[in-house]
Amino acid sequence: MSDDLAGDSLDERYGLAEVRDLDEYAEALTRLAERGLRDERATLLSEAEAYAVAELLGRFALSEPWNALNQLAASLASRIYNRLGA
């Protein structure tokens, strides 16, 4: 059953439903990423998937490096590369 069908969207579950603008969205995603760093659950992505995600995040971050969302993308790309040993 999907989250939407169960009445619990992912945005609601992860605290993103109440954000009003891109700055708040970037802050909420940053908090979520920090929470994810403390979560020791099973791996969700293969190495190839993780590398592809890091590449996409890195390219997105380069488009406007001063933007809060792009800074978050750069940080996430860096974390993924570090975990991949790149």
Side-chain angles (χ1 to χ4, degrees):
M1 181 183 319
S2 78
D3 292 318
D4 290 329
L5 293 177
D8 181 23
S9 76
L10 290 175
D11 284 350
E12 290 171 350
R13 183 182 308 167
Y14 293 116
L16 302 174
E18 294 82 30
V19 298
R20 294 173 293 197
D21 58 31
L22 283 179
D23 288 334
E24 283 187 13
Y25 189 65
E27 290 172 18
L29 287 175
T30 300
R31 287 191 303 273
L32 184 58
E34 288 168 357
R35 182 175 123 199
L37 286 174
R38 297 184 301 269
D39 195 351
E40 297 294 328
R41 297 181 194 187
T43 303
L44 299 177
L45 298 174
S46 70
E47 184 176 345
E49 289 171 317
Y51 183 77
V53 167
E55 283 290 306
L56 289 170
L57 286 168
R59 289 175 190 222
F60 177 75
L62 291 174
S63 66
E64 291 180 9
W66 57 90
N67 182 295
L69 231 92
N70 295 26
Q71 290 173 2
L72 176 60
S75 174
L76 291 173
S78 176
R79 290 177 186 177
I80 293 169
Y81 282 129
N82 285 336
R83 289 189 182 195
L84 290 172

